[in-house]
Amino acid sequence: MSVFFAVLIATLHVCGFVRPPAVSVWSGPDANLTSANKHSASTTARSHSGMNFGFSEEQDTIRETLARMLGDHATLEVAHNRLDSGEGFDTATWSALAEGGWLGLAMSEEEGGSGMGAVELAILAEEIGRCLAAVPFIPVLCMAVPALQSAGTDDQRKSLLPGIAEGRTIIATALAEGGGLAPDTVSAKVTRDRLSGQKTPVTFGAEATHALVAATDEEGTPRLYLADLSASGVTTRALDPVDRTRPAAEIVFDNTPVELLPGSDPAAIKRLLDGAAVLAAFEQIGLAERVLALTTAYARERHAFGRPIGGFQAVKHRLADMFAKIELARSNAFFGAWALASGDNRLPEAAAVARLTALDAVQFATEESIQLHGGVGFTWAANPHLFLRRGWQLKAELGPTAIWRERLLGHLADAPRTAS
């Protein structure tokens, strides 16, 4: 019976009928980002009840500055050109992010950053998704940096974090293999600080200088290791992903020297994935919002039977459905951002719900966009397929939907909610 109720609660969560407790993410007596992250500017809720969210003026300025900078570099024309040429990694945009200090956003000043936190990273993620920037945001800033900060040694942090902030060091994350995800699926092994195994797909693996690899130690426990991809025993083979602006590779390690992140274990790997899932949800929301805006604009311009197609009720309903799914995903992502910034023990649940609803919003919005664009939506020169490809690629990264649904159900079954 308890399993039945866990499944019911999870279903209601994903459908949006059950919401987290009515606590403002940004303000409150015992749950606010100012106390959760002393470097983040405080923000104010815009109403007195429910989960309502607002950003501070400083954070709004960060968003506006990012939007202008990315708008100058990561345009849809650039995305088309990179898709045509197969040159996925947008080094110009990555360099611009480094020059503006954005790559060190969540690092301390001693580490070469600006000392902000999860909320500012969420803003960056959303703007990157909105403009389809072909940069390794998730593997580097959402996974490698927090892994080094939470599980690495002082020497590892000092040697790698400043290089990441300057854009010189790119760390790919190699956690996937055989269709599964660490720590549940790990066949790569480390013996006497030597790694052997295969990882695929590794996003931006061919462009990276280092890799954060999940492998089992000599006792069979999944841990995280750092591998220099220029070291001996590393073979990299480029893959042909759905979205060529987000390149992927297969990396084979054959007795490759590695360094252990001593603070890593299966629980740490899961926390790392939870945090990345929350931030990836914001990237997906930015993408879906841009799709909705472009599709709405097209519905106003395209005429049929003497009127804009946006005036037809059937089209209005489909646009409204896109908006509703995006807003549901945004609400869940905000709760995930609060849980990540505050260290709340509901992060696993919040991350899974944010991941699932963001994936649903992106898939629905991108597919509906192509349908509402009609015949032109299927053409190579049009924009809708760019977003569809990115949406599919983001769905494949961090593990498929089934993994996150299983994690959500498992968490709810282990810790059922009590009625309040």
Side-chain angles (χ1 to χ4, degrees):
M1 185 64 68
S2 61
V3 174
F4 167 78
F5 283 112
V7 174
L8 176 61
I9 290 170
T11 303
L12 293 174
H13 259 299
V14 175
C15 293
F17 298 115
V18 175
R19 308 299 307 134
V23 177
S24 167
V25 163
W26 309 127
S27 63
D30 55 351
N32 62 76
L33 285 179
T34 306
S35 61
N37 176 10
K38 64 181 180 180
H39 299 294
S40 295
S42 61
T43 49
T44 305
R46 290 177 179 157
S47 72
H48 298 293
S49 63
M51 293 199 70
N52 300 288
F53 310 94
F55 293 99
S56 69
E57 290 184 7
E58 180 181 346
Q59 289 163 342
D60 285 336
T61 301
I62 288 174
R63 183 185 297 279
E64 292 167 4
T65 304
L66 267 170
R68 285 196 301 269
M69 188 277 289
L70 290 171
D72 291 338
H73 291 84
T75 63
L76 293 182
E77 182 182 0
V78 170
H80 275 290
N81 292 338
R82 293 199 169 276
L83 189 64
D84 291 335
S85 66
E87 297 177 0
F89 182 24
D90 188 351
T91 55
T93 298
W94 191 248
S95 297
L97 287 168
E99 291 170 5
W102 302 110
L103 301 187
L105 204 61
M107 301 180 198
S108 67
E109 294 180 5
E110 293 77 13
E111 294 167 340
S114 52
M116 295 189 181
V119 180
E120 289 76 17
L121 272 181
I123 293 171
L124 175 57
E126 193 169 346
E127 294 307 313
I128 284 176
R130 199 185 311 277
C131 68
L132 292 183
V135 295
F137 168 74
I138 292 177
V140 178
L141 299 191
C142 302
M143 301 189 76
V145 169
L148 287 167
Q149 291 173 328
S150 63
T153 65
D154 287 339
D155 288 342
Q156 288 169 341
R157 287 189 285 269
K158 290 176 182 178
S159 66
L160 292 171
L161 291 180
I164 291 174
E166 295 169 6
R168 295 181 290 103
T169 302
I170 299 174
I171 303 181
T173 49
L175 305 186
E177 56 181 83
L181 197 64
D184 300 317
T185 304
V186 182
S187 62
K189 298 180 180 180
V190 172
T191 304
R192 296 180 181 178
D193 297 327
R194 296 278 176 167
L195 169 66
S196 294
Q198 174 182 309
K199 293 290 181 177
T200 184
V202 181
T203 308
F204 291 95
E207 292 74 19
T209 58
H210 297 74
L212 181 68
V213 185
T216 57
D217 59 18
E218 296 182 32
E219 297 178 354
T221 302
R223 309 287 294 274
L224 293 176
Y225 296 86
L226 279 170
D228 186 335
L229 295 182
S230 64
S232 61
V234 178
T235 303
T236 302
R237 180 176 66 89
L239 302 176
D240 188 12
V242 172
D243 181 6
R244 293 181 181 176
T245 67
R246 204 171 178 83
E250 173 190 84
I251 303 180
V252 178
F253 300 95
D254 184 11
N255 206 33
T256 303
V258 292
E259 292 183 26
L260 171 68
L261 270 63
S264 64
D265 57 23
I269 296 173
K270 287 185 177 181
R271 285 195 300 272
L272 182 66
L273 287 170
D274 288 338
V278 169
L279 296 171
F282 279 95
E283 181 174 353
Q284 292 162 324
I285 289 166
L287 184 157
E289 273 195 325
R290 181 75 179 278
V291 168
L292 176 60
L294 291 174
T295 308
T296 303
Y298 181 79
R300 289 172 176 159
E301 297 169 359
R302 176 75 168 90
H303 283 65
F305 304 103
R307 60 187 292 192
I309 63 171
F312 294 105
Q313 190 175 39
V315 174
K316 291 179 181 179
H317 285 175
R318 294 170 87 167
L319 293 172
D321 287 343
M322 291 166 66
F323 175 80
K325 285 182 178 288
I326 291 169
E327 290 307 304
L328 173 60
R330 184 190 307 281
S331 177
N332 288 322
F334 275 141
F335 181 56
W338 169 77
L340 177 61
S342 64
D344 189 86
N345 60 9
R346 289 170 290 180
L347 176 60
E349 178 186 342
V353 175
R355 171 76 172 164
L356 291 169
T357 50
L359 286 172
D360 181 54
V362 167
Q363 181 171 342
F364 183 83
T366 53
E367 291 178 357
E368 287 294 298
S369 177
I370 287 183
Q371 292 295 324
L372 292 175
H373 274 79
V376 71
F378 289 85
T379 62
W380 186 263
N383 292 324
H385 74 97
L386 297 176
F387 296 92
L388 181 69
R389 290 171 182 274
R390 180 61 62 86
W392 279 345
Q393 193 71 22
L394 289 173
K395 184 177 182 178
E397 297 173 10
L398 297 180
T401 303
I403 290 178
W404 289 94
R405 187 179 293 117
E406 194 69 28
R407 290 183 67 172
L408 174 60
L409 294 175
H411 179 76
L412 292 173
D414 292 339
R417 287 180 179 272
T418 56
S420 59

